[in-house]
PDB file of all heavy atoms in Angstrom:
ATOM      1  N   GLN X  74      13.123-146.834 -63.245  1.00 94.00           N
ATOM      2  CA  GLN X  74      13.976-145.641 -63.130  1.00 94.00           C
ATOM      3  C   GLN X  74      14.776-145.722 -61.716  1.00 94.00           C
ATOM      4  O   GLN X  74      14.197-146.082 -60.744  1.00 94.00           O
ATOM      5  CB  GLN X  74      13.038-144.364 -62.949  1.00 94.00           C
ATOM      6  CG  GLN X  74      12.492-143.843 -64.246  1.00 94.00           C
ATOM      7  CD  GLN X  74      13.526-143.384 -65.213  1.00 94.00           C
ATOM      8  OE1 GLN X  74      14.566-142.797 -64.795  1.00 94.00           O
ATOM      9  NE2 GLN X  74      13.326-143.542 -66.515  1.00 94.00           N
ATOM     10  N   LYS X  75      16.058-145.642 -61.819  1.00 95.00           N
ATOM     11  CA  LYS X  75      16.944-145.701 -60.676  1.00 95.00           C
ATOM     12  C   LYS X  75      18.001-144.589 -60.698  1.00 95.00           C
ATOM     13  O   LYS X  75      18.214-144.017 -61.831  1.00 95.00           O
ATOM     14  CB  LYS X  75      17.619-147.126 -60.745  1.00 95.00           C
ATOM     15  CG  LYS X  75      16.678-148.232 -60.319  1.00 95.00           C
ATOM     16  CD  LYS X  75      17.401-149.389 -59.728  1.00 95.00           C
ATOM     17  CE  LYS X  75      16.475-150.381 -59.105  1.00 95.00           C
ATOM     18  NZ  LYS X  75      17.083-151.521 -58.687  1.00 95.00           N
ATOM     19  N   SER X  76      18.705-144.565 -59.609  1.00 95.00           N
ATOM     20  CA  SER X  76      19.888-143.601 -59.637  1.00 95.00           C
ATOM     21  C   SER X  76      20.946-144.303 -58.712  1.00 95.00           C
ATOM     22  O   SER X  76      20.614-144.951 -57.635  1.00 95.00           O
ATOM     23  CB  SER X  76      19.425-142.170 -59.230  1.00 95.00           C
ATOM     24  OG  SER X  76      19.742-142.049 -57.838  1.00 95.00           O
ATOM     25  N   LYS X  77      22.255-143.954 -59.043  1.00 97.00           N
ATOM     26  CA  LYS X  77      23.251-144.513 -58.221  1.00 97.00           C
ATOM     27  C   LYS X  77      24.247-143.329 -58.053  1.00 97.00           C
ATOM     28  O   LYS X  77      24.441-142.549 -58.924  1.00 97.00           O
ATOM     29  CB  LYS X  77      23.982-145.660 -58.835  1.00 97.00           C
ATOM     30  CG  LYS X  77      23.133-147.008 -58.739  1.00 97.00           C
ATOM     31  CD  LYS X  77      24.172-148.170 -58.699  1.00 97.00           C
ATOM     32  CE  LYS X  77      23.254-149.358 -58.270  1.00 97.00           C
ATOM     33  NZ  LYS X  77      23.691-150.610 -58.916  1.00 97.00           N
ATOM     34  N   ILE X  78      24.783-143.378 -56.793  1.00 98.00           N
ATOM     35  CA  ILE X  78      25.853-142.246 -56.520  1.00 98.00           C
ATOM     36  C   ILE X  78      27.217-142.910 -56.749  1.00 98.00           C
ATOM     37  O   ILE X  78      27.636-143.816 -56.034  1.00 98.00           O
ATOM     38  CB  ILE X  78      25.636-141.654 -55.055  1.00 98.00           C
ATOM     39  CG1 ILE X  78      24.177-140.998 -54.974  1.00 98.00           C
ATOM     40  CG2 ILE X  78      26.679-140.745 -54.827  1.00 98.00           C
ATOM     41  CD1 ILE X  78      23.834-140.603 -53.650  1.00 98.00           C
ATOM     42  N   PHE X  79      27.842-142.260 -57.601  1.00 98.00           N
ATOM     43  CA  PHE X  79      29.281-142.629 -57.957  1.00 98.00           C
ATOM     44  C   PHE X  79      30.332-141.866 -57.330  1.00 98.00           C
ATOM     45  O   PHE X  79      30.145-140.531 -57.273  1.00 98.00           O
ATOM     46  CB  PHE X  79      29.539-142.489 -59.472  1.00 98.00           C
ATOM     47  CG  PHE X  79      28.938-143.645 -60.335  1.00 98.00           C
ATOM     48  CD1 PHE X  79      27.597-143.833 -60.577  1.00 98.00           C
ATOM     49  CD2 PHE X  79      29.876-144.613 -60.862  1.00 98.00           C
ATOM     50  CE1 PHE X  79      27.215-144.928 -61.279  1.00 98.00           C
ATOM     51  CE2 PHE X  79      29.417-145.649 -61.624  1.00 98.00           C
ATOM     52  CZ  PHE X  79      28.005-145.842 -61.759  1.00 98.00           C
ATOM     53  N   PHE X  80      31.352-142.440 -56.680  1.00 98.00           N
ATOM     54  CA  PHE X  80      32.521-141.756 -56.229  1.00 98.00           C
ATOM     55  C   PHE X  80      33.723-141.925 -57.178  1.00 98.00           C
ATOM     56  O   PHE X  80      33.919-143.055 -57.625  1.00 98.00           O
ATOM     57  CB  PHE X  80      32.909-142.245 -54.880  1.00 98.00           C
ATOM     58  CG  PHE X  80      34.049-141.561 -54.311  1.00 98.00           C
ATOM     59  CD1 PHE X  80      34.057-140.381 -53.613  1.00 98.00           C
ATOM     60  CD2 PHE X  80      35.385-142.044 -54.494  1.00 98.00           C
ATOM     61  CE1 PHE X  80      35.173-139.746 -53.148  1.00 98.00           C
ATOM     62  CE2 PHE X  80      36.634-141.495 -53.920  1.00 98.00           C
ATOM     63  CZ  PHE X  80      36.386-140.289 -53.323  1.00 98.00           C
ATOM     64  N   ILE X  81      34.193-140.880 -57.745  1.00 98.00           N
ATOM     65  CA  ILE X  81      35.301-140.995 -58.751  1.00 98.00           C
ATOM     66  C   ILE X  81      36.485-140.309 -58.287  1.00 98.00           C
ATOM     67  O   ILE X  81      36.521-139.222 -57.763  1.00 98.00           O
ATOM     68  CB  ILE X  81      34.725-140.277 -60.107  1.00 98.00           C
ATOM     69  CG1 ILE X  81      33.584-141.005 -60.632  1.00 98.00           C
ATOM     70  CG2 ILE X  81      35.957-140.316 -61.126  1.00 98.00           C
ATOM     71  CD1 ILE X  81      32.808-140.346 -61.735  1.00 98.00           C
ATOM     72  N   ALA X  82      37.551-141.143 -58.210  1.00 98.00           N
ATOM     73  CA  ALA X  82      38.888-140.729 -57.885  1.00 98.00           C
ATOM     74  C   ALA X  82      39.597-140.396 -59.251  1.00 98.00           C
ATOM     75  O   ALA X  82      39.891-141.309 -59.946  1.00 98.00           O
ATOM     76  CB  ALA X  82      39.655-141.722 -56.927  1.00 98.00           C
TER      77      ALA X  82
END
Side-chain angles (χ1 to χ4, degrees):
Q74 285 291 327
K75 287 203 169 174
S76 103
K77 283 209 170 148
I78 297 175
F79 278 74
F80 178 86
I81 297 166

